[in-house]
Amino acid sequence: MSDKRIAVIGGTGDQGKGLALRWARAGFEIIIGSRDAARAVAAADAMRATLESNGSGSVRITGAANPEAAVSASIVVLTVPFAAQVGTLKEIRERLAPGSLLVDVTVPLEPAVGGKPTRTLGVWAGSAAEQCAELSPPGVEVVSAFHNVSADALADLEHEAECDILVCGDSKEAKARLRPLIAAIAGCRYVDGGPLANSRTVEAMTALLIGLNIRYKTHTGIRITGLKE
Ligand SMILES: NC(=O)c1ccc[n+]([C@@H]2O[C@H](COP(=O)([O-])OP(=O)(O)OC[C@H]3O[C@@H](n4cnc5c(N)ncnc54)[C@H](OP(=O)(O)O)[C@@H]3O)[C@@H](O)[C@H]2O)c1
């Protein structure tokens, strides 16, 4: 299967939609996943209409139930709230093909237990990404990314998303598979964030950014300075 086909699990939500719009516009084939296949199809239709009315020409976005979406792509991106991460992974993990790349975007924010979005929860595994890796089948590489770019910035197709994307994972090759997906989002840059365990820090930074967004009434991103590439 080609890495040009991407399943976005929970793609009916804000973050998944933003990523899907950017990737579809850049020519990737997108399958939106949902617990409800009809909701996935409706979301895919709405995204296609948005892009076609924006002059993006013909784009490829379809919708399916989460397990069907997961089985049909070699890159599977998980964009669900932390409270839904384990349940969703249990629903899709048997359907992930060996060699596929699972990209975890989950941030363990406090609202999962009724708390503040400006604070993260402690995760026994270390981070949402490490929890995702523990629940993934052998032969599936797990990386984490896209935590620090906001859904609002992604959905604003008239402007660049302006964010460095820290990619964490234990395999350099697996992380590098995300390079074309990040290059496809104007204003975003791939940054190797080191091992998957570093996702603890990257996930926590999202809570900080949410606080900044509330104080400054905007949507912030991050830039790492001093890199040579
Ligand atoms: N929004 C952002 O700006 C942003 C930025 C960086 C990272 N993130 C992270 O990305 C993930 C998704 O964020 P989001 O804002 O897109 O979330 P969301 O809109 O609240 O939810 C995304 C999708 O997850 C599914 N979902 C919701 N509750 C569920 C449940 N209890 N069980 C199973 N599925 C459920 C829903 O899809 P169906 O109902 O169609 O199944 C929903 O459309 C989160 O972990 C978030 O922390 C978000």
Side-chain angles (χ1 to χ4, degrees):
M1 243 186 300
S2 147
D3 278 0
K4 291 288 279 181
R5 222 171 129 79
I6 306 165
V8 185
I9 306 301
T12 52
D14 293 339
Q15 191 71 348
K17 260 186 210 169
L19 291 168
L21 283 168
R22 295 282 181 164
W23 290 331
R25 188 168 72 160
F28 289 89
E29 184 179 351
I30 305 298
I31 306 108
I32 297 295
S34 166
R35 288 169 291 180
D36 176 347
R39 191 156 55 235
V41 170
D45 289 347
M47 285 183 233
R48 196 178 319 106
T50 299
L51 289 170
E52 287 174 2
S53 71
N54 259 13
S56 304
S58 163
V59 293
R60 291 174 298 168
I61 312 186
T62 54
N66 284 330
E68 282 65 51
V71 80
S72 59
S74 63
I75 296 188
V76 177
V77 183
L78 184 63
T79 58
V80 296
F82 179 66
Q85 190 205 32
V86 169
T88 306
L89 281 167
K90 286 183 175 168
E91 193 190 11
I92 66 168
R93 65 181 168 191
E94 302 305 331
R95 313 300 290 274
L96 298 168
S100 60
L101 182 70
L102 180 57
V103 184
D104 188 51
V105 186
T106 313
V107 181
L109 295 173
E110 256 191 19
V113 293
K116 296 181 177 181
T118 51
R119 297 204 297 226
T120 47
L121 291 167
V123 183
W124 193 252
S127 61
E130 290 162 283
Q131 178 164 280
C132 176
E134 285 183 0
L135 288 163
S136 300
V140 171
E141 296 277 9
V142 175
V143 300
S144 73
F146 306 110
H147 305 96
N148 303 143
V149 61
S150 82
D152 288 338
L154 290 167
D156 179 2
L157 298 174
E158 304 305 317
H159 296 98
E160 297 199 346
E162 282 196 278
C163 190
D164 282 353
I165 306 298
L166 289 163
V167 182
C168 299
D170 295 332
S171 152
K172 265 204 170 299
E173 293 72 31
K175 286 186 276 194
R177 286 172 72 182
L178 277 190
R179 279 185 180 276
L181 278 70
I182 293 168
I185 304 174
C188 287
R189 177 177 63 161
Y190 174 97
V191 176
D192 184 342
L196 197 65
N198 281 359
S199 200
R200 301 165 195 202
T201 307
V202 181
E203 292 167 20
M205 280 160 55
T206 303
L208 177 74
L209 295 174
I210 291 170
L212 290 169
N213 293 346
I214 293 168
R215 281 194 293 288
Y216 286 86
K217 300 187 184 359
T218 184
H219 43 75
T220 51
I222 59 156
R223 284 288 187 219
I224 309 295
T225 61
L227 298 179
K228 294 285 178 273
E229 60 173 300

